[in-house]
Amino acid sequence: MNAKQVFAALSIAIAGNAAMAVEAEQYTPAPSTLTRAEVQAAKADEVLMSGGEATVFVDRPVASQKTREDVRAEARAAARDNSFDELNVA
């Protein structure tokens, strides 16, 4: 191998690595039109997310409609009649 081939192989490898270094989703948020007081009030009401995520939704806690005993009874019933799918357990 001569120096020209080594240099060509090295430059192709470096170019390939540089091409993969870019993030898949380029996110540029729009500038805010809210005042500081409005943003703080919205954060107090849990309307805005913090942390710089690119998603725009809020995870709010949801009150469960079932008690622990109800969930345990359903799990026991599913285990008794073998309707529990072991492959799809999250």
Side-chain angles (χ1 to χ4, degrees), residues 19-85:
M20 289 187 283
V22 177
E23 205 174 306
E25 180 182 325
Q26 299 294 323
Y27 177 71
T28 53
S32 178
T33 59
L34 301 175
T35 64
R36 182 173 174 82
E38 290 171 337
V39 170
Q40 288 176 343
K43 281 180 90 172
D45 294 338
E46 294 183 356
V47 175
L48 297 177
M49 287 184 72
S50 61
E53 288 88 359
T55 54
V56 187
F57 62 89
V58 177
D59 291 333
R60 294 187 181 178
V62 178
S64 177
Q65 302 297 323
K66 297 179 183 179
T67 64
R68 262 185 205 201
E69 291 75 26
D70 293 339
V71 174
R72 287 181 179 160
E74 285 180 11
R76 287 186 185 116
R80 273 194 296 274
D81 64 6
N82 292 329
S83 65
F84 182 74
D85 187 8

